[in-house]
Structure formats: structure tokens, C-alpha cells
Amino acid sequence: ILTYYGRWTYKIEEARRQLVAAASHDLRTPLASLRLLVESIDDGVVTGETRDRYLGEIRTHVAVLSDLVGDLFELSRIEAGDISWMMRQVQLGDLIGDTVAAMRGTAEARGVKIAAELPPSQVVARANAEKVQRVLFNMIQNAIRHTPADGSVTVRARNDGGDVEVEVADDGEGIPAGDGERVFEAFYRGDAARGEEGAGLGLAISRAIVEAHGGRIWLEPGSPGTKVHFTLRSA
């Protein structure tokens, strides 16, 4: 028992160290840029249009930091069970349609086609619509980022017994076989995602939200591309 407890404690401590290291890395970069920009303005090195541009960059970095801290706070609250969401019947077809429409501009700007394929019958879940839409945004945004121009992203939903299942499929470069579970870890970004925008929290938050709803989320290799699925309880 002690051996098992020791290993479990070590794994928890190792996960904590990795999370702190990853968070520190993602905080350090914008903070270093902010310091340089502020010092340049404070020292009078830049003026006029350059000063205005630096101020714009400062606002961008502040927004990035605010989003990162907000995501970390939300993730920690969900994982601690600090949840007070209003659950109700949610028409997933309508929610998916609205989300796809909202993401269409982002997709088209990258030359990616996006579409929703929904069954003729209603797909209804008991859920918090705002949180489920957050999951959809995260999954669709991730799919768009990893899909080349002229590629496509498709969102599907279906009834599956006592659950409903949602799938976001893309025909991008795919996920390495060994990364199927790790993509849902906070701050994890595979080699294909190095240099991409974001802190690598989107799928971690998505998993936390789905599991808080009593569902599950998983990744399936596509042919080509990737498919990410999640389930919710039927209403």
C-alpha cells in the first residue's frame, strides 16, 4: 500500500511541477515583451506612430495574459468541483449551427471549409449551453488551426442510446498515435502545434467541462485528419 501511495504521490507531484513549469513558460514570454515595450516608452526611445504601435502591442499582450489567467482559474475551479451551472434541455443542432456560423469567418480566412451535418431528428442534451458552446469553440478552433487551406472541418451530432455524441472532424495533418490522450493535458502541444497561438488549454478545459457534465471526450485518428468526439447525457 505504501509503495502504491508513494507512486501515486510522486505522479501527482510530477504533474504539478510540469503544470507550474508550463504555466511559467507561457507567462514569461508576454511578460518579457511587456517589460521591453514599457521600458522603451518610459525611456522616450520611441515616439509618434511607433509609440502608438507599441501601445497596441501592450494591449495585445495584456489580453493574452488575461485570457491565460482566466483559463487557468476556470480549469482549477472545474477540476476542484466548484461548479454551479444551470442545466437545462439544450437543442444541440441549434447550438452547433450557431457555433459553426460564428466560426465561419475564421475558417474562411484560412481557406478552410466548415459545415455542420445534423440528423433530421432533434439531438437534445441536458447541459449548460454556454459551457457546451465553449467546448465546441475550442474543438472547432483547434481543428481549423490544424487544417490546411482547401481542407475542411465538419461537425456532426447524433443520438446514441442514453447519450448524445458530437464529433468534430478535420482533414489536417493528424495527431501522432502516442498523443491521443496527451492532447487533453493542460499546456500540452505536440510538435505539429509548436509556434501556434494559444497556451494549450483549450482541450484541457473542454475535457473538464465534458466530464463535469458526466460525459467523456476522446480522440480518433481520421483518414486523413483527426476526429474528436464527446458525449453528453440525453435530456
Side-chain angles (χ1 to χ4, degrees):
I1 295 175
L2 288 175
T3 301
Y4 172 79
Y5 178 77
R7 290 176 178 172
W8 178 78
T9 302
Y10 173 80
K11 288 182 178 179
I12 293 296
E13 181 62 22
E14 181 64 20
R16 186 193 67 80
R17 284 197 295 266
Q18 291 177 358
L19 180 61
V20 170
S24 299
H25 177 272
D26 280 69
L27 287 167
R28 187 181 300 116
T29 300
L31 284 172
S33 297
L34 280 171
R35 184 177 65 181
L36 291 173
L37 291 166
V38 170
E39 287 178 351
S40 296
I41 293 174
D42 189 51
D43 293 342
V45 175
V46 294
T47 58
E49 292 183 0
T50 302
R51 180 178 181 275
D52 292 340
R53 178 166 57 83
Y54 277 26
L55 288 173
E57 292 178 12
I58 288 172
R59 283 191 289 270
T60 299
H61 286 304
V62 169
V64 168
L65 287 170
S66 296
D67 289 344
L68 175 58
V69 172
D71 284 347
L72 281 170
F73 182 65
E74 180 174 14
L75 183 60
S76 65
R77 285 186 59 185
I78 297 172
E79 291 185 339
D82 183 10
I83 299 168
S84 57
W85 303 336
M86 181 70 70
M87 299 289 193
R88 62 179 179 83
Q89 288 190 350
V90 176
Q91 302 283 353
L92 283 182
D94 294 340
L95 191 64
I96 289 171
D98 291 344
T99 309
V100 167
M103 296 295 291
R104 182 159 283 115
T106 300
E108 290 178 349
R110 300 182 70 133
V112 175
K113 298 177 183 178
I114 184 170
E117 293 182 1
L118 304 170
S121 59
Q122 291 185 341
V123 181
V124 184
R126 180 166 178 77
N128 179 280
E130 180 183 350
K131 298 302 179 181
V132 173
Q133 189 168 51
R134 175 76 183 275
V135 174
L136 289 168
F137 270 124
N138 287 343
M139 290 171 59
I140 294 170
Q141 184 178 56
N142 194 64
I144 292 171
R145 285 176 180 170
H146 293 88
T147 301
D150 297 328
S152 64
V153 173
T154 306
V155 186
R156 303 181 178 95
R158 66 185 182 93
N159 292 296
D160 184 22
D163 292 332
V164 298
E165 183 177 325
V166 178
E167 172 191 284
V168 177
D170 67 67
D171 53 9
E173 71 270 18
I175 302 293
D179 288 358
E181 281 298 319
R182 296 202 66 193
V183 296
F184 297 105
E185 296 176 5
F187 291 101
Y188 179 75
R189 283 173 288 192
D191 291 338
R194 302 297 181 189
E196 287 281 353
E197 64 268 32
L201 286 172
L203 289 180
I205 291 174
S206 295
R207 179 174 66 176
I209 291 173
V210 168
E211 291 181 350
H213 277 78
R216 66 189 186 97
I217 187 169
W218 71 98
L219 183 146
E220 173 189 350
S223 182
T226 302
K227 298 177 181 178
V228 183
H229 303 255
F230 71 90
T231 61
L232 299 168
R233 292 171 179 167
S234 297

